Amino acid sequence: MSQDMPFDLSLTEEQRMTRESLQRFAEKQIRPIARAADEAGAAAAGFYDSTVELGLTLLPIPEIHGGAGMPRDPMANVLAVEDLGHGDISLALGALAPLGVINALLDFASEAQQEAFLPRLAAERFVPAAVALMEGRATFEPSELTTRAVADADGYVISGEKRLVPFGADAELLLVIADLQGSGPAAFVVEKGAAGMSAQAADYMGLRALDTFTVSFDQVRVPALNRLENFDLQRLVDLSRLGVAALAVGCCQAVLDFSIPYVNERKAFGEPIAWRQSVAFMVANIGIELEAMRLLVWRAASRARDGLPFHREAYLARVLCADKAMEIGTNGIQLFGGAGFIRDYPLEMWYRNLRAVGVLEGSLMV
Amino acid sequence: MINLELPKKMLMVQQMSHQLASTVFRPISRKYDKIEHCDTPAELRSVAQMIAAVRPSQNKGKDKEQGAEDGIKNGANLTGIVGMEEMCWGDVGLMLSIPGTGLGNAAVMAVGTPEQKEQFGKLYCAMAITEPGAGSDSAAVSTSARLDGDEWVLNGEKIYCTAGQRCDAVVVWATLDKSKGKAAIKSFIVPRDNPGMTLVRVEDKMGLRISDTAALSLNDCRIPKANILGSAEVADTEEARKKAFGGVMQTFDNTRPQVAAMALGVARAALEITREILSKEGVKADFSKSLNNSTAIEAELYRMEADLDAARLMTYKAAWMADNRQPNSKEASMCKAKAGRVGNAITLKCVELCGELGYSEQFLLEKLARDSKIIDIFEGTQQIQQLIVARQLLGLSSRELK
């Protein structure tokens, strides 16, 4: 539980150093390849492996399972997500999707389950893994799932369809959330190559650099061990909403950072457009709403870190971030005028990616 | 370490202020909105004494307010914000009418000499900046101050002076030499009953009615030489000019978050009343369904709560920066801009959501909406805050971005 700490927004020395290196990575190794990846519909070969060096996935895995054994810290994760999101939302989501699974295992799996699955994710190379929660319905509600699981003699049988699943059948592990007959939503580890599982590539308005799939489960059998014992859907959803909101904060910061030099340099009527209030106020409002987004995310994440209830706080962060991400995304394009609409610039890509903030569920548990 | 929860010490301040707001302010909120023009309401006299009793006296104790670790402080600024929101949850007009809590008091405490703090700190000090020809452009004030022997002689017209009728003294902005612009603008402490300063009228307003808003006229108003706040020198280099006026404007970096906190209190009051009224109709926005699966009214409630909480955290941040001696000009304007506009939007939306009940004087919703409007105007309008934020973000001067 929370000690009696002062209200404080300062980073620890360790956080400051981590942020610096993540920001450098985002700037040097994500941003320059983001557009090409968006156009190609895939990350460049070797990109995901290069993210393993950051150690984000290894950090929270206990030493006995091959990790560094650092404490679970949603707040630290939010900072990391924000920094990578500043580089590119799609690539950051791909790089961090396995961390979402690891965090879910740390929070919801028994000791035996952690021992069975965590070592597989603690590799030197990138191990694709993802949470499969979303389904194809306009009124989709994470607690009302059509994907079903039924208990049978030695395990469970899963049937249904999951959408917007990163990596699809290439994932080493998918954490599939399904309605377990008689007891509501449950989480099942489905391993690569499971019989009855098939994946179909699915493209979206944004997140194009991420390999996304519709995954079908036709009577897929998993052993009893694969059902996470202490699963808490609310927690998964809330912490994922924070992860996705943090991606939005990073990307909106990128919009602001990228727009400032442009409006200061771009001239119209003999002076920089930044000298016009209609332009300058738009920049000011991006800055103001970005601050609003960030603080709501940080508050919910720090509450989660301290074991305080944070459902309401995560909900509000999601609501504001989804709205403001769209506003900032579209205003970013507007500030650049025609150039914002041209694919040489990243603005339209950021806007398309930011659209996902209000859509994604379960994708990045921090 | 990042923590956006208030420590126990602040929660106690919050609780005490809330107690005061709910037992003293709320019950008389409508009454004084109707009365509008009167002397300081009797109920506020005892409040002023209570506040004076708990307020940390002048300088002592200030630096002892340490946080738990690495020297991070939650001090007077954050305390002020937390208390302010609660009081304004009770009634913002009444809060502004508490003797001894004027903007002039903030100026005296921020830049006054120890003697000035001693002499005027405990009085009720108003601040007179605005003139018929100078509002947001406070550098354009034309009220003049001229040194004549051991006295300053002030001449000019001041309007929109909060507490200008009921105060004990007024901090008057005046120029030593209009041709020298901002650098020549100084502030002077003028006792309310000083010969030469007269009350012209008290305004009738849309909201904030119990708070008196006065027009004052200064005609050869003579005050002692010692009553100037800050230095009497007129800076003659560009750099020194900036610094001099910057000192005056610095007061706003401390007061803008306070005004943002007023907006938070008023908006929260409206939102709470609205939730209560709507819950009787079975509307309960309890965070159980995704936004997409919520009704339009529920979605409005969620969005308002998100905006309000975000504005509050931004306000805390600006105050936290001030408490820890970090320059906070941008953050002070950011929180004022956000809180001011969401305060307006929320209170008006609450009137709308509650239909006839929202519009009726039976509840406080219509009053809260009227009270809220001014908060996005005084202490720097929404547009002025955006201008300041934009200049800071874009690295532009006031000459480049006008």
Side-chain angles (χ1 to χ4, degrees), chain B residues 40 59 90 158 164 192 195-196 200 212 222 236 262-263 279 334 383:
Chain B
T40 291
N59 296 317
K158 290 290 176 185
R192 182 62 185 76
V200 179
D212 61 304
R222 291 176 168 272
D236 45 11
M262 294 180 197
S279 74
M334 277 185 166
Q383 290 68 27

Side-chain angles (χ1 to χ4, degrees), chain A residues 4 6-9 139 141 264 277 281 285 289 291 299 303 305 311-312 315 320 323, chain B residues 1-3 5 8 74 287 289-290 293 302-303 305 307 309 317 320 338 341 386 394 402:
Chain A
D4 192 28
F7 177 92
D8 188 10
L9 296 169
T139 56
E141 190 67 49
N264 269 325
Q277 290 186 346
F281 285 12
N285 285 323
E289 297 303 342
E291 185 86 345
R299 172 180 64 163
R303 287 179 67 92
R305 176 201 60 203
H311 171 62
R312 172 183 175 275
Y315 192 105
L320 186 96
D323 283 356
Chain B
M1 181 156 94
I2 294 172
N3 170 49
E5 302 303 311
K8 286 201 186 90
N74 285 175
F287 306 94
K289 283 187 191 151
S290 304
N293 292 327
Y302 293 141
R303 290 197 158 100
E305 280 194 37
D307 270 332
D309 279 17
K317 179 179 178 180
W320 168 80
K338 179 72 179 170
R341 69 193 184 203
Q386 291 189 28
L394 293 161
K402 288 180 196 138

Side-chain angles (χ1 to χ4, degrees), chain B residues 311-327:
Chain B
R312 181 179 299 112
L313 294 172
M314 291 170 74
T315 308
Y316 286 177
K317 179 179 178 180
W320 168 80
M321 290 177 81
D323 279 336
N324 291 283
R325 299 181 192 284
Q326 298 177 23

Side-chain angles (χ1 to χ4, degrees), chain B residues 116-182:
Chain B
Q116 287 168 335
K117 286 181 188 175
E118 181 63 36
Q119 191 183 352
F120 301 105
K122 285 180 185 151
L123 297 180
Y124 187 9
C125 299
M127 181 108 111
I129 305 174
T130 306
E131 297 179 0
S136 293
D137 180 13
S138 46
V141 303
S142 59
T143 293
S144 65
R146 161 175 67 82
L147 195 59
D148 182 24
D150 279 346
E151 291 178 327
W152 291 104
V153 184
L154 306 182
N155 278 287
E157 303 295 323
K158 290 290 176 185
I159 58 170
Y160 304 159
C161 173
T162 296
Q165 178 193 23
R166 300 178 195 145
C167 66
D168 304 314
V170 188
V171 173
V172 175
W173 284 31
T175 177
L176 299 182
D177 181 351
K178 187 137 199 235
S179 71
K180 296 212 169 113
K182 288 178 182 179

